[in-house]
Amino acid sequence: MREKQSYAGLDRFRIFAAFLVVAIHTSPFMSYSKTADFFFTKVLGRIAVPFFFMVTGQFVLAEYMDPQKRSAGRITGYLKKIALLYVIAVLIYMPPGIYAGHYQNTGLTDWLRMVLFDGTFYHLWYFPACILGVSVVCGMGRFLKMPQMFVAAGALYLAGLCGDSYYGLVREVPAAASLYEMLFSVFSYTRNGIFLAPLFLLLGALAGRRTKRMENIRLLRVLLALSFLAMTEEAFVLRHFKLQRHDSMYAALPVVMYFLYEALLLSDRRKPERRRGGRGKSAFLRTAATWIYILHPLMIIAVRGVAKKAGLEALFVENSLLHYLAVLAGSCIVSFMIALLLQGRKDEPFEKGRAWIELDQDALSHNVAALRAMLPETCRLMPAVKADAYGHGAKLVAEQLRRLGVDAFCVACAQEGVALRRQGISGEILILGYTHPKQFGLLRRYRLTQTVVDHHYAMQLNRYGRNIHVHIGVDTGMHRLGERSENVEQIASVCRMKHLVVDGMFTHLCVSDSDRRQEQEYTRSQAKAFYQLSDQLREMGLLPPGIHMQASYGILNYPDLAGDYARVGIALYGVLSTQEDTHKWQDTLRPVLSLKARVATVRTLYQGESAGYGLQFTAKQDTQIATIAIGYADGLPRALSGGAGSVLIRGQRAPIIGRICMDQTLVDVSGIDRVRAGDTAVLIGRSGEQELSVCEMAVAAGTITNEILSRMGARLERVVV
């Protein structure tokens, strides 16, 4: 089983951080030692919330910090999720708050302060702090570079520090004291989304973006210990001189959090998590930690109430440690139950349950590197992820490509581009085909780049009246889409249109797959026409910044024609359109996709009996047959019926018998021992020493690999291995 980068350490630490939050609100050591309790709750406990902010920064904000990869989809989704949790928590704590009299004599200004900054119950301040902090960081990102953002966030943290642990010094300065008193009329504390959250969100985002890290775990632990020791001393000095207005912020806290987070990430890399069960466990821990945070004040109320009724207040209320443990136990039990319920509702069907596609991430990475090596360093890949990434799964492929540094994609239509954006895919997305004028709004809303299919279409786009990013399609001989290359003035006029932001220009080579002399000459003539047009536009000062003409075969056969982008398609997935071409490049490219399905049943077909629709297959002798849970609705060509195709089971070929059905396929397993329900049948890929390629399937079906792959059904599960 392949191993992957794990964040299990972060997820386990979430639970510990949640335990610390419970401790902050229950003071577990107060019955024994005020000093010990101060250390546990006001020093160690203060790493909890910054840790939560850093996790948010890593997984929500990291990509947003790069202007080239920025996508508002993930940010919007996170803000909606955290706002929903906040609303749920507010509703949960409204009755206890009313009962306790928290909202008596509360005016509109007070409600605004609570909702926007302080939280409507004492621990709920975290949720508006997340919303406000993420908004502040995203606002910074639109105008500042990362170093400048850190300076700004650092300044905000310093200002917050002066209103928190160091307020005793600040209040000695009348002007500063007046300023902070004015601020405290707006919010009660500076540990909020303006002053506290941005710096830790940025530290998390930095951790998510950085590829090179400290590899010396011992050194990291030493630095963590030293910085934590410094923060501990700082906290006790401030306590001794009674300088703290509150104690959520320390000068050494950002340093502690930096080394702590690095240590956790390095530990995870040294102990990679196996895929099986890993994601489910991590999701469970994340959910449980969230609900421990939300519910623990209810458990405080419950423990106190039950203890009072049972006459056990001396044991479970006055004894602070037992009180903490009781609250923690109740919080964990309820939160784990909620996490289990939510996991049960959200879990996808069992992976590889019926029929599925496996995507080899190593093969994809290899192909990206191989294709890049064929091109000049200035030429960037713009992979075609249309038709659900040639059946591989657009979201999964795009996510893997983003990790490999690819930040531009092309699709066939607006719907495909919108789907990628909604799935959180950032970067440039070029629509290669036609978009109806009624859908122009989608282009702006989802930041999609539209192909100008001809001059008339450009005028339609321009008449929309709002700026739209475009690439100009140029027809150099395929005569499909694009303005003719000889119509220089019309193309130049497109570049001058007020509401078109022309980011690129491209043509398509229609016979670059052929090595025949006539087709080679035609390809060269296409390239010549495109270069001539480019030179003419350059002389006019109108040449768009990104030009491209290469697709898969162009990269392989004409690497010298590279431009600013290369629209690699079928080659990215490790195959080419024909078996001959695939064999030619088999040492350079590796197939990414395998297609597999379960054996549903195994039975005996007695001599003379027939099977399947039309009773097309009749057994000439007693035959063992297996039903495979895949059919033509999944993309298995019906042309493979009647023995034209086969599958691999237990490393041996099993011919397809009878007609392929919509959802099922029959195969002859007579010569294969111990075939049983639940076994894996391989339709594309390897089993034992045998291999079935998509090229072999395409030949048997009388078509090309592109068609086979792009017809893979949506109901097939797709798994990255």
Side-chain angles (χ1 to χ4, degrees), residues 646-673:
S646 59
V647 305
L648 298 176
I649 300 177
R650 295 184 177 271
Q652 298 183 57
R653 286 184 179 246
I656 294 173
I657 60 174
R659 296 175 185 171
I660 292 174
C661 310
M662 180 179 286
D663 314 302
Q664 315 287 341
T665 298
L666 298 177
V667 298
D668 183 350
V669 295
S670 298
I672 307 174
D673 293 335

Side-chain angles (χ1 to χ4, degrees), residues 474-522:
V474 177
D475 178 11
T476 57
M478 190 169 187
H479 306 314
R480 188 174 62 175
L481 295 178
E483 187 61 42
R484 284 182 174 269
S485 59
E486 58 266 28
N487 297 339
V488 179
E489 286 302 322
Q490 287 183 309
I491 294 172
S493 73
V494 174
C495 296
R496 298 189 184 101
M497 288 182 181
K498 179 180 178 180
H499 295 295
L500 300 189
V501 181
V502 183
D503 297 324
M505 181 176 74
F506 71 94
T507 192
H508 194 73
L509 306 177
C510 52
V511 286
S512 58
D513 58 331
S514 174
D515 58 2
R516 291 173 54 194
R517 181 176 178 181
Q518 182 178 357
E519 277 78 8
Q520 288 178 340
E521 290 177 353
Y522 196 86

